[in-house]
Coordinates of all heavy atoms in Angstrom, one line a residue:
L1 N -14.4 -8.1 6.6 CA -15.0 -7.6 7.8 C -14.3 -8.3 9.0 O -14.2 -9.4 9.0 CB -16.5 -7.9 7.7 CG -17.3 -7.5 8.9 CD1 -17.3 -5.9 9.1 CD2 -18.7 -8.0 8.7
V2 N -14.0 -7.4 10.0 CA -13.3 -7.9 11.2 C -13.8 -7.0 12.3 O -14.1 -5.8 12.1 CB -11.8 -7.9 11.0 CG1 -11.2 -6.4 10.8 CG2 -11.1 -8.6 12.2
Q3 N -13.8 -7.6 13.4 CA -14.1 -6.7 14.7 C -12.9 -6.0 15.1 O -11.7 -6.2 14.9 CB -14.5 -7.6 15.8 CG -16.0 -8.4 15.6 CD -16.3 -9.1 16.9 OE1 -15.5 -9.7 17.5 NE2 -17.6 -9.0 17.1
A4 N -13.2 -4.9 15.9 CA -12.2 -4.1 16.5 C -11.3 -5.0 17.3 O -11.7 -5.8 18.0 CB -12.7 -2.9 17.3
G5 N -9.9 -4.7 17.0 CA -8.9 -5.5 17.7 C -8.4 -6.6 16.9 O -7.4 -7.4 17.3
G6 N -9.1 -7.0 15.8 CA -8.6 -8.2 15.0 C -7.6 -7.7 14.0 O -7.1 -6.6 14.0
S7 N -7.3 -8.7 13.1 CA -6.3 -8.5 12.1 C -6.6 -8.8 10.8 O -7.6 -9.8 10.6 CB -4.9 -9.5 12.6 OG -4.4 -9.1 13.8
L8 N -6.0 -8.4 9.8 CA -6.1 -8.7 8.4 C -4.8 -8.4 7.7 O -4.0 -7.6 8.1 CB -7.2 -7.8 7.6 CG -8.7 -8.0 8.0 CD1 -9.5 -6.8 7.3 CD2 -9.2 -9.3 7.4
R9 N -4.7 -9.2 6.6 CA -3.4 -9.1 5.9 C -3.7 -8.9 4.3 O -4.5 -9.7 3.8 CB -2.6 -10.5 5.9 CG -1.2 -10.4 5.1 CD -0.5 -11.6 5.3 NE 0.7 -11.8 4.6 CZ 0.9 -12.3 3.3 NH1 -0.3 -12.9 2.8 NH2 2.0 -12.4 2.6
L10 N -3.4 -7.7 3.8 CA -3.6 -7.5 2.4 C -2.4 -7.8 1.6 O -1.2 -7.5 2.1 CB -3.9 -5.9 2.2 CG -4.9 -5.3 3.2 CD1 -5.1 -3.8 2.9 CD2 -6.3 -6.0 2.9
S11 N -2.6 -8.3 0.4 CA -1.6 -8.5 -0.5 C -1.8 -8.0 -1.8 O -3.0 -7.7 -2.2 CB -1.6 -10.1 -0.7 OG -1.1 -10.6 0.5
C12 N -0.8 -7.6 -2.6 CA -0.8 -7.1 -3.9 C 0.2 -7.6 -4.8 O 1.5 -7.7 -4.4 CB -0.7 -5.5 -3.8 SG -0.6 -4.7 -5.4
A13 N -0.2 -8.1 -5.9 CA 0.8 -8.7 -6.9 C 0.8 -7.9 -8.2 O -0.2 -7.6 -8.7 CB 0.4 -10.1 -7.2
A14 N 2.1 -7.6 -8.6 CA 2.1 -6.9 -10.0 C 2.5 -7.9 -11.1 O 3.3 -8.9 -10.8 CB 3.3 -5.9 -9.8
S15 N 2.0 -7.7 -12.2 CA 2.1 -8.6 -13.4 C 2.3 -7.7 -14.6 O 1.8 -6.5 -14.6 CB 1.0 -9.5 -13.5 OG -0.3 -8.9 -13.8
G16 N 2.9 -8.2 -15.6 CA 3.1 -7.6 -16.9 C 4.5 -7.5 -17.2 O 5.4 -8.0 -16.5
S17 N 4.9 -6.5 -18.1 CA 6.2 -6.4 -18.5 C 6.8 -5.0 -18.1 O 6.1 -4.0 -18.3 CB 6.4 -6.5 -20.1 OG 6.0 -7.8 -20.5
F18 N 7.8 -5.0 -17.3 CA 8.5 -3.7 -16.9 C 9.9 -4.0 -16.6 O 10.3 -5.2 -16.3 CB 7.7 -3.2 -15.6 CG 7.4 -4.3 -14.6 CD1 8.3 -4.6 -13.7 CD2 6.2 -4.9 -14.7 CE1 8.0 -5.6 -12.7 CE2 5.8 -5.8 -13.7 CZ 6.7 -6.1 -12.7
F19 N 10.7 -2.9 -16.4 CA 12.0 -3.0 -16.0 C 12.3 -3.3 -14.6 O 13.0 -4.3 -14.2 CB 12.8 -1.7 -16.5 CG 14.2 -1.8 -16.1 CD1 15.1 -2.6 -16.7 CD2 14.7 -1.0 -15.2 CE1 16.4 -2.6 -16.5 CE2 16.1 -0.8 -14.9 CZ 16.9 -1.8 -15.6
R20 N 11.7 -2.5 -13.8 CA 11.9 -2.6 -12.3 C 10.8 -1.8 -11.6 O 10.2 -1.0 -12.0 CB 13.2 -2.1 -11.9 CG 13.7 -2.3 -10.5 CD 15.0 -1.9 -10.1 NE 15.2 -0.4 -10.1 CZ 16.2 0.3 -9.9 NH1 17.4 -0.4 -9.6 NH2 16.3 1.6 -9.9
I21 N 10.4 -2.4 -10.4 CA 9.6 -1.8 -9.5 C 10.3 -1.1 -8.3 O 11.0 -1.7 -7.7 CB 8.5 -2.8 -8.7 CG1 7.8 -3.5 -9.9 CG2 7.6 -2.0 -7.8 CD1 6.9 -4.7 -9.4
N22 N 10.0 0.2 -8.2 CA 10.7 0.9 -7.0 C 9.9 0.9 -5.8 O 9.6 -0.2 -5.3 CB 11.2 2.3 -7.5 CG 12.4 2.2 -8.5 OD1 13.1 1.3 -8.5 ND2 12.5 3.3 -9.3
V23 N 9.4 2.1 -5.5 CA 8.7 2.1 -4.2 C 7.3 1.6 -4.3 O 6.6 1.7 -5.4 CB 8.5 3.6 -3.7 CG1 7.5 3.6 -2.6 CG2 9.9 4.3 -3.3
L24 N 6.9 0.7 -3.4 CA 5.5 0.2 -3.3 C 4.8 0.8 -2.1 O 5.5 0.8 -1.0 CB 5.6 -1.3 -3.2 CG 5.9 -2.0 -4.5 CD1 6.3 -3.5 -4.1 CD2 4.8 -2.0 -5.4
G25 N 3.5 1.1 -2.2 CA 2.8 1.7 -1.1 C 1.3 1.2 -1.0 O 0.8 0.7 -1.9
W26 N 0.8 1.4 0.2 CA -0.6 1.2 0.4 C -1.3 2.5 0.8 O -0.7 3.3 1.7 CB -0.8 0.2 1.6 CG -0.4 -1.2 1.2 CD1 0.6 -1.9 1.4 CD2 -1.3 -2.2 0.5 NE1 0.5 -3.2 0.9 CE2 -0.7 -3.3 0.4 CE3 -2.7 -1.9 0.1 CZ2 -1.3 -4.4 -0.3 CZ3 -3.3 -3.0 -0.6 CH2 -2.6 -4.3 -0.8
Y27 N -2.3 2.9 0.2 CA -3.1 4.1 0.5 C -4.5 3.5 0.9 O -4.9 2.4 0.7 CB -3.2 4.9 -0.8 CG -1.9 5.5 -1.2 CD1 -0.9 4.8 -1.7 CD2 -2.0 7.0 -1.1 CE1 0.2 5.5 -2.2 CE2 -0.7 7.6 -1.5 CZ 0.3 6.8 -2.1 OH 1.5 7.4 -2.5
R28 N -5.2 4.5 1.6 CA -6.6 4.2 1.9 C -7.5 5.4 1.6 O -6.9 6.6 1.7 CB -6.8 3.8 3.3 CG -6.4 4.7 4.4 CD -6.5 4.1 5.9 NE -6.2 5.0 6.8 CZ -6.0 4.7 8.1 NH1 -6.1 3.3 8.4 NH2 -5.7 5.5 9.1
Q29 N -8.7 5.2 1.4 CA -9.6 6.3 1.1 C -10.9 6.2 1.9 O -11.6 5.1 1.6 CB -9.9 6.4 -0.5 CG -10.6 7.7 -0.9 CD -10.5 7.8 -2.5 OE1 -10.3 6.8 -3.2 NE2 -10.7 8.9 -3.0
Y30 N -11.2 7.2 2.6 CA -12.7 7.3 3.2 C -13.6 7.8 2.2 O -13.2 8.6 1.4 CB -12.6 8.1 4.5 CG -11.5 7.6 5.5 CD1 -10.5 8.5 5.8 CD2 -11.7 6.4 6.2 CE1 -9.5 7.9 6.8 CE2 -10.7 6.0 7.1 CZ -9.6 6.7 7.3 OH -8.7 6.5 8.3
P31 N -14.8 7.6 2.4 CA -15.9 8.1 1.5 C -15.8 9.6 1.6 O -15.9 10.2 2.6 CB -17.2 7.5 2.1 CG -16.9 6.3 2.8 CD -15.5 6.5 3.3
G32 N -15.9 10.3 0.5 CA -15.8 11.7 0.3 C -14.5 12.3 0.6 O -14.5 13.6 0.7
K33 N -13.5 11.5 0.8 CA -12.1 12.2 1.2 C -11.1 11.7 0.1 O -11.3 10.8 -0.7 CB -11.7 11.7 2.6 CG -12.7 11.9 3.7 CD -12.5 13.6 4.0 CE -13.4 13.8 5.2 NZ -13.4 15.3 5.4
E34 N -10.0 12.4 0.2 CA -8.9 12.2 -0.8 C -8.1 11.0 -0.2 O -8.1 10.7 0.9 CB -7.9 13.3 -0.9 CG -8.5 14.5 -1.5 CD -7.6 15.7 -1.8 OE1 -6.3 15.5 -1.6 OE2 -8.0 16.7 -2.3
R35 N -7.5 10.2 -1.4 CA -6.7 9.1 -1.0 C -5.5 9.5 -0.1 O -4.9 10.5 -0.4 CB -6.3 8.3 -2.2 CG -5.9 6.9 -2.1 CD -5.8 6.3 -3.4 NE -7.1 6.2 -4.1 CZ -7.4 5.7 -5.2 NH1 -6.4 5.2 -6.0 NH2 -8.6 5.7 -5.7
E36 N -5.2 8.7 1.0 CA -4.0 9.1 1.8 C -3.1 7.9 2.0 O -3.6 6.8 2.0 CB -4.5 9.5 3.2 CG -5.2 8.5 4.0 CD -5.8 9.0 5.3 OE1 -6.3 10.1 5.3 OE2 -5.7 8.2 6.3
L37 N -1.7 8.2 2.0 CA -0.8 7.2 2.3 C -0.8 6.7 3.6 O -0.8 7.3 4.6 CB 0.7 7.8 2.0 CG 1.8 6.9 2.2 CD1 1.9 5.9 1.1 CD2 3.1 7.7 2.1
V38 N -0.7 5.2 3.7 CA -0.7 4.5 4.9 C 0.7 4.0 5.2 O 1.2 4.3 6.2 CB -1.7 3.3 4.9 CG1 -1.5 2.4 6.1 CG2 -3.2 3.7 4.6
A39 N 1.4 3.4 4.2 CA 2.7 2.9 4.4 C 3.3 2.8 3.0 O 2.6 2.6 2.0 CB 2.7 1.6 5.1
D40 N 4.6 2.9 3.0 CA 5.4 2.6 1.7 C 6.6 1.8 2.1 O 7.1 1.9 3.2 CB 5.5 3.6 0.8 CG 6.3 4.8 1.2 OD1 7.3 4.6 2.1 OD2 6.1 6.0 0.7
I41 N 7.2 1.3 1.1 CA 8.5 0.6 1.3 C 9.4 0.6 0.1 O 8.9 0.4 -1.2 CB 8.3 -0.9 1.5 CG1 9.5 -1.7 1.9 CG2 7.4 -1.6 0.6 CD1 9.3 -3.1 2.6
T42 N 10.6 0.9 0.2 CA 11.6 1.0 -1.0 C 12.0 -0.5 -1.4 O 11.8 -1.4 -0.7 CB 12.8 1.9 -0.7 OG1 13.6 1.2 0.3 CG2 12.4 3.2 -0.2
R43 N 12.6 -0.5 -2.5 CA 13.1 -1.8 -3.0 C 14.2 -2.3 -2.0 O 14.2 -3.6 -2.0 CB 13.9 -1.6 -4.4 CG 14.2 -2.9 -5.0 CD 14.6 -2.6 -6.5 NE 15.0 -3.9 -7.2 CZ 14.1 -4.9 -7.7 NH1 12.9 -4.4 -7.7 NH2 14.4 -5.9 -8.2
G44 N 14.9 -1.5 -1.3 CA 15.9 -2.0 -0.4 C 15.2 -2.3 1.1 O 16.0 -2.8 1.9
G45 N 14.0 -2.0 1.3 CA 13.3 -2.3 2.5 C 13.1 -1.2 3.5 O 12.7 -1.6 4.5
S46 N 13.4 -0.1 3.1 CA 13.1 1.2 4.1 C 11.7 1.4 4.0 O 11.0 1.5 2.9 CB 13.9 2.3 3.6 OG 15.4 2.1 3.7
T47 N 11.1 1.6 5.3 CA 9.7 1.9 5.3 C 9.2 3.1 5.9 O 10.0 3.8 6.7 CB 9.2 0.7 6.2 OG1 9.7 0.8 7.5 CG2 9.3 -0.6 5.6
Y48 N 8.0 3.5 5.5 CA 7.5 4.6 6.1 C 6.1 4.3 6.5 O 5.4 3.6 5.9 CB 7.3 5.9 5.2 CG 6.3 7.0 5.5 CD1 6.7 8.0 6.3 CD2 5.0 6.9 5.1 CE1 5.7 8.9 6.6 CE2 4.0 7.9 5.5 CZ 4.4 8.8 6.2 OH 3.6 9.9 6.7

């Protein structure tokens, strides 16, 4: 919980066995709405 104008930092860590992680993204979902893309980043660092 934060006031308008404030800041937060979200983190996500992947664990388990896999070959490689390609695109990583953050989505958000409002109540009663479909999940929507907020930002993503490629393995090389290109962002949307």
